[in-house]
Amino acid sequence: MRHTLAVLVDNKPGVLARVSGLFSRRGFNIESLAVGVTENPEISRMTIVVRGDDRVLAQVTSQLGKLIDVISICDLPSSESVDRELVLIKVSADAITRSEIMQIVDIFRVKIIDVGTETLIIEVTGNQGKLRAIREMLERFGITELVRTGMVAMNRNTKTVNGDDT
Amino acid sequence: MTDATISGAKALIECLHNEGVDTIFGYPGGVLLPLYDELYDADIRHILVRHEQGAAHAADGYARATGKVGVCLATSGPGATNLVTGIANAYMDSVPIVAITGQVPTPLIGNDAFQEADITGITLPITKHNYLIKDVNDLPRIVKEAFFIASTGRPGPVLIDLPKDITTDEIEFKYPETVRLRGYNPDTKVDTDAVKRAASMILQAQRPIIYAGGGVIISNTSSELLKLAETINAPVTTTLLGIGAFPETHPLSLGMLGMHGTRYANYAVQESDLLIAIGARFDDRVTGKIDAFAAQAKIIHIDIDPAEIGKNVRVDLPVIGDARGVLQLLLSHLREKQGKPIARSGAWLGKIDAWKNKYPLQYTPSDTVIKPQYVIKEIHKACPDAIIVTEVGQNQMWAAQYFQYEHPRTFITSGGLGTMGYGFPAAMGAKVACPDRTVIDIAGDGSFQMNSQELATVVKNDIRVIVAILNNGYLGMVRQWQELFFEQRYSHTELTGSVDFVKLAEAYGAIGIRAEKPSEVPSAISEALAADRATIIDFVVDPTENVFPMVPAGAAINEILEQEVTG
C-alpha cells in the first residue's frame, strides 16, 4: 500500500541525508521524495511516498520522529488530500507525428515548452493517474528522456500540517 | 565578562563546566592543539588513553556506572574514526555519551585535507544526533543541546565535530539556560488510559511474567520494578542489559532469558499468558524464533521509544513513556483496585519453582582444571558488591549467569553491538566514576587483547581495576559454535601462545597473577583485591568448557541445548 507523508524538518544542511539514510538503513522503500522550503524559511517540507503495510508505516513514522531535525510527520490519505507532480517528457517528434502529439497535449491540457526539429519537451502537471495516462499515450512516439519532481501533497480544507510547537 | 571575548576552545571548556563534566577521556592531535592548550590549565580531569576506542568505551563505562553523561575527545580523521566502534556501541545500548572530535579548519572541509574524515557523515546512523560547528557563536547552544539530547528520552551518543578555526575564533561567551528544539521533546506524558488497561490485563492474567530490560536501569526504576513484582506476584526475568534491575537473590527472580538464559526463565516466558515488557526491545538473542516467542501471551510493552513498539513482535498494549513514571502510575492503579498482593493461584509460581529445581544452571566442577564458572562464583563470593564489567563472548555469558547481581549499575556489558575489547576500557571508565567501588573486568584472552594498550592508562592514572581473564586459549564462543554447528572445524579460533599476560601486566607496571589450579583461584582473587595497583589475573581455564544452556540461533527459546553434568 502506498502512503504519502508530509514531513516538516528544520531547514538545515544535512537533514536530507539524515532522512534518506534512515530509509535506506532500515530497509524502507521510498517511491518518491520532494523537498522544499515552506512559508517559514526555517522549515522545509518533505513529501515522501512510501510503500508498505500499516506496520511499515508505523515504523517509518516513529523512526522519522526520532530524528532531532524532524518536527512533525503527517500521513496524508488520498481521500483527504490533493497531490500533484510535475514531469518533463522529451518525446521524439517529426513533421508527421508532431501534430498528433500536439492534439494529445491539448486533450490533456498540458504544455509544450520546447520544440526542436526532432523532439518536443512537454510539461505535465497532475496527479499520478494523469501522469500515467499521458505517458502511455506518448510512449509509442518514443520518449527519449523523462524527469519527475516527485509528488507533493496537501490536506484539503482548513486542515494544515502544522509544525509550530504551539 | 560580558565585554571580553574568549576563544572557542575556552568557551568549550566553560560549556563543559556548566554541564558538570569532571572527567574527559581523550587523545590529542593537530587540530585539537588550541583546545588541549586550554585543557592544560582547566579544572577538568583529562585521562589520556592509548587508543581513541578506549576513550569512547571509557566514557560509556563512566556513563553506565553513574547515569551521567560520559565525555570523550579525539582529533580529526583517524582519531575520530577510532571512536566509531565506541559510539556505535553506546548507540545500541542507549548510553549517554558526548563525543567531541576535532575537525580540519572550515575552509579546508571537503578538500580531502590532511587528517580529514567526514565524521558527522560516518556517525549519522550510530548517533542520536550529531553536529558540525560552523560558527563559533553556535558553540554554546550546540554543546547545551548535545548534553540535553544525550541524556534525555532514550539516551544515546551525540557527536560534536569541532573545526580547528572554531577553537581559535573569539566569542562573547554566554551559556544558554534553556534548550529549544522544535523536533525534540523528550517529556512524554504517560497515557493514563493505557496504564489503566495494563492494570486490568495484569489483574486478569493467570500466568504473568515481567521481562525487564536496560530501560529499567537507565530510568532508575528498580525499586518500582521490585514493588510491581511483589504487588502482582509475578516472576521477573531480565535481558542481558537488564541484569541488576531486579535482585537475583529474590524468590521471584528468574535471572536472564534468551539464548543463554536460564531454562526456567525461557520456559516461563513460553508458558506465560501475559508478558510485561519494560524497557526492553525484543532482541533476537532474547526472542529466538520470533513467531514462537511467548506465543500464548498477551504482550504489554512499556517503552519510552515509540519506534520500539511493534518493531519485532506484535504488541497487545503499548504504553509509551518513561518506565519510572509508568510503573508509579501502574502501581497506584493496582493499589486502588487491590489493596494487598494479588492472591494468584499458586499453580503458576509452583510450576516455576519446579522448573527452577529441576533445571538449575549447572556445570561439572573439577579439582584439577579451573572451570570458568567456578571463577565467577568465587569472584562473587569474594566481592558481591563489585561492579562487574565484561568483554564479549563466553566470558560475558558466564559473568551474566554465575554472579548474582543485586543492584542496578553493577553489571556493565556490551549487549547490542557485542563489542570485543569493550570491557577493559569500560571498567576503567567505571572505576574513574566510582573510585571507591571494586571494579572487575571479566575478560577472555581474545577480547582483552583488543584493548590491552589501556594498561598504560590505568597504571599511569592509578585506576585500580582488576582484569580477570578466563584464558582458554580460544575465541571461545566462536569455538563453541564451531564445535556444535561446524563439525569441530576450529577455523582460526585458537589463540594459544598469544602472550604471557602476567609479563604483559608487569611490562606496563601492573600486577600480574596466574592461577592454573582450582585451589589457586580464591587466593588469586584476594591478592588482586588487596593490590595497590591495577591487576591482571590470568585464570588458565578449561579450554573445552562451553556456555549452556543454549538456544541455537533461530530456534524457539524452549528448544534448549544442555550439557551432561557429572559430579
Side-chain angles (χ1 to χ4, degrees), chain B residues 79-406:
Chain B
T81 56
N82 277 344
L83 292 178
V84 166
T85 302
I87 294 170
N89 187 76
Y91 185 66
M92 286 288 266
D93 289 351
S94 309
V95 181
I97 66 171
V98 168
I100 301 167
T101 50
Q103 182 54 281
V104 300
T106 44
L108 292 182
I109 290 177
N111 286 2
D112 304 319
F114 176 65
Q115 290 191 331
E116 181 184 0
D118 172 16
I119 197 64
T120 48
I122 289 168
T123 59
L124 212 61
I126 55 165
T127 49
K128 190 172 171 187
H129 196 53
N130 63 22
Y131 294 92
L132 168 62
I133 305 185
K134 286 183 168 168
D135 180 339
V136 71
N137 292 302
D138 294 335
L139 187 147
R141 172 184 60 80
I142 285 173
V143 176
K144 177 91 183 169
E145 288 177 5
F147 277 82
F148 179 69
I149 291 168
S151 59
T152 53
R154 179 180 183 170
V158 179
L159 181 136
I160 302 171
D161 202 17
L162 182 65
K164 185 178 187 181
D165 52 329
I166 302 295
T167 63
T168 52
D169 285 351
E170 294 280 314
I171 175 180
E172 272 184 43
F173 182 77
K174 187 172 180 298
Y175 202 59
E177 282 171 15
T178 54
V179 172
R180 188 177 173 279
L181 288 159
R182 261 191 297 248
Y184 181 70
N185 178 15
D187 292 329
T188 47
K189 253 210 176 125
V190 178
D191 179 349
T192 316
D193 285 344
V195 173
K196 275 184 188 161
R197 284 171 59 202
S200 66
M201 282 168 78
I202 287 168
L203 292 171
Q204 280 163 23
Q206 295 303 311
R207 302 184 305 281
I209 182 169
I210 297 171
Y211 149 53
V216 175
I217 294 170
I218 293 168
S219 59
N220 299 316
T221 312
S222 295
S223 60
E224 286 82 0
L225 174 63
L226 181 62
K227 276 186 206 139
L228 178 68
E230 290 179 344
T231 305
I232 67 173
N233 220 0
V236 179
T237 181
T238 70
T239 67
L240 182 67
L241 289 183
I243 286 176
F246 191 79
E248 294 186 337
T249 46
H250 195 285
L252 288 170
S253 170
L254 300 180
M256 181 173 75
L257 81 166
M259 181 174 275
H260 292 297
T262 62
R263 293 178 74 162
Y264 38 94
N266 287 348
Y267 291 150
V269 166
Q270 294 302 73
E271 297 220 358
S272 67
D273 67 349
L274 179 68
L275 183 80
I276 308 163
I278 310 172
R281 60 184 178 86
F282 298 86
D283 179 78
D284 56 275
R285 286 299 193 260
V286 160
T287 62
K289 187 180 176 190
I290 199 103
D291 300 333
F293 180 74
Q296 304 174 35
K298 287 206 157 74
I299 296 177
I300 298 174
H301 191 181
I302 300 167
D303 207 290
I304 198 165
D305 181 358
E308 288 302 342
I309 306 296
K311 187 181 79 177
N312 295 335
V313 296
R314 47 153 194 99
V315 170
D316 298 281
L317 177 66
V319 187
I320 310 287
D322 180 65
R324 195 168 179 194
V326 172
L327 258 56
Q328 283 170 349
L329 195 60
L330 182 59
L331 281 164
S332 73
H333 278 300
L334 287 166
R335 273 192 218 105
E336 265 174 40
K337 295 191 175 183
Q338 194 95 25
K340 53 186 187 310
I342 293 165
R344 214 179 294 287
S345 87
W348 175 231
L349 292 178
K351 196 170 193 182
I352 286 169
D353 280 339
W355 284 326
K356 277 188 179 179
N357 289 326
K358 194 169 177 193
Y359 307 115
L361 284 173
Q362 54 182 359
Y363 68 97
T364 304
S366 167
D367 294 334
T368 50
V369 57
I370 300 176
K371 293 289 183 166
Q373 300 94 330
Y374 170 68
V375 174
I376 307 292
K377 290 180 95 159
E378 285 299 310
I379 290 173
H380 178 252
K381 201 191 280 179
C383 46
D385 293 328
I387 295 175
I388 300 296
V389 187
T390 80
E391 301 291 344
V392 164
Q394 289 182 321
N395 62 82
Q396 178 184 33
M397 291 300 114
W398 286 317
Q401 291 175 331
Y402 285 93
F403 192 101
Q404 286 204 303
Y405 301 90
E406 302 259 13

Side-chain angles (χ1 to χ4, degrees), chain B residues 444-503:
Chain B
D445 46 318
S447 286
F448 178 69
Q449 290 185 73
M450 284 206 176
N451 270 318
S452 62
Q453 78 286 341
E454 299 308 328
L455 276 166
T457 313
V458 295
V459 170
K460 177 101 178 179
N461 293 281
D462 194 22
I463 303 165
R464 297 180 195 178
V465 294
I466 296 169
V467 182
I469 302 177
L470 306 175
N471 184 355
N472 58 8
Y474 276 97
L475 294 171
M477 188 58 92
V478 184
R479 195 209 66 91
Q480 174 170 342
W481 284 53
Q482 288 172 333
E483 179 184 332
L484 296 173
F485 309 120
F486 289 86
E487 296 165 349
Q488 297 164 41
R489 289 160 52 84
Y490 299 122
S491 178
H492 303 282
T493 43
E494 194 192 335
L495 296 175
T496 46
S498 297
V499 67
D500 180 329
F501 288 110
V502 172
K503 284 186 183 159

